[in-house]
Amino acid sequence: MKKIVIINGHPYKESLNYALHAAYRKGALEAGATVEDICIGELSFDPNLRHGYSKRMDLEPDLLAAWEKIQRADHLVWIYPQWWGFMPAVTKGFLDRLFLPGLAFKRKEGTVMATPSLKGKTAHIIHTMDYPVWYYKWIIREGGIKIMKKVILEFCGIKTKKVTYIGPSGMTPIKHTPDAYRQKHIERVEQAGRQLM
């Protein structure tokens, strides 16, 4: 039985990201997976790495619980919007505070090299945005996704199997697109859950 953790990086419960989260969860449960959830905007933690890497901050209970879920998982589903080319600040703060040396990777003494601690896990990134996907891919060149895949996930040993982009077909922000358009993407994500991608 595949163990999935859905990590929702949108801070607002009424967002499309929460509808996508529910859709993926429904599909994965129907496919026989076990599913746990981490809704970053609902966690209580300081998102600032206040001392950099020079002094370790104690992890709050919500971060410790999130880490236990991540360790149990075979597959991580990251759902978050693109804001200013990357992810919401609280999502970046979650990564800063939790994907730490000694947890997500182990530093090799005296070098910049590291040994990943999360090998064997896979990821699916579901990325919403307010401009067309072609613009993000060909003009912006997928900068935020490249950072997430290579600099963060791969560095820690997680292999990204799939990236799903969800944006408007024209120049209207996604929240102003017709309900039927958004529903089509919700159904697409539910199907991805059924396929355990």
Side-chain angles (χ1 to χ4, degrees):
M1 188 180 293
K2 200 163 190 176
K3 296 174 185 171
I4 293 175
V5 171
I6 304 172
I7 304 169
N8 189 333
H10 202 299
Y12 183 49
K13 282 187 176 182
E14 303 302 317
S15 67
L16 173 62
N17 285 245
Y18 269 79
L20 296 169
H21 181 149
Y24 190 99
R25 172 178 244 287
K26 181 175 183 285
L29 289 172
E30 287 174 2
T34 62
V35 181
E36 293 190 283
D37 307 283
I38 299 170
C39 295
I40 296 172
E42 298 173 27
L43 305 183
S44 178
F45 71 101
D46 181 350
N48 296 310
L49 196 60
R50 296 198 175 271
H51 313 290
Y53 291 114
S54 62
K55 181 181 174 185
R56 181 62 59 92
M57 295 169 64
D58 290 336
L59 294 177
E60 294 88 342
D62 282 357
L63 289 182
L64 289 169
W67 186 246
E68 287 174 7
K69 291 177 183 180
I70 288 168
Q71 287 183 299
R72 284 194 292 267
D74 304 310
H75 187 60
L76 307 174
V77 180
W78 296 84
I79 304 174
Y80 59 88
Q82 179 187 208
W83 291 352
W84 290 112
F86 198 33
M87 57 178 61
V90 71
T91 305
K92 177 61 166 54
F94 176 83
L95 288 162
D96 285 347
R97 289 292 318 285
L98 199 52
F99 279 51
L100 293 166
L103 287 178
F105 59 93
K106 292 178 177 63
R107 285 270 184 221
K108 293 183 180 176
E109 191 67 34
T111 76
V112 296
M113 302 302 291
T115 302
S117 299
L118 299 174
K119 274 192 165 182
K121 299 183 189 301
T122 56
H124 178 182
I125 302 168
I126 300 171
H127 195 45
T128 62
M129 61 191 77
D130 266 342
Y131 40 67
V133 172
W134 64 263
Y135 184 84
Y136 183 68
K137 284 188 170 184
W138 302 111
I139 306 300
I140 296 178
R141 304 272 183 186
E142 303 177 281
I145 285 296
K146 287 176 181 173
I147 292 169
M148 184 62 167
K149 283 173 65 175
K150 296 288 290 180
V151 180
I152 300 171
L153 299 180
E154 188 177 306
F155 187 82
C156 298
I158 302 166
K159 181 177 176 58
T160 301
K161 300 289 252 179
K162 185 173 182 176
V163 177
T164 300
Y165 294 111
I166 298 174
S169 58
M171 298 309 287
T172 303
I174 192 82
K175 65 184 176 184
H176 298 306
T177 55
D179 289 346
Y181 181 82
R182 292 193 301 279
Q183 186 59 36
K184 177 181 77 171
H185 288 292
I186 290 168
E187 289 168 7
R188 175 182 165 208
V189 166
E190 185 176 323
Q191 184 58 30
R194 282 196 198 93
Q195 294 168 348
L196 301 178
M197 291 292 294

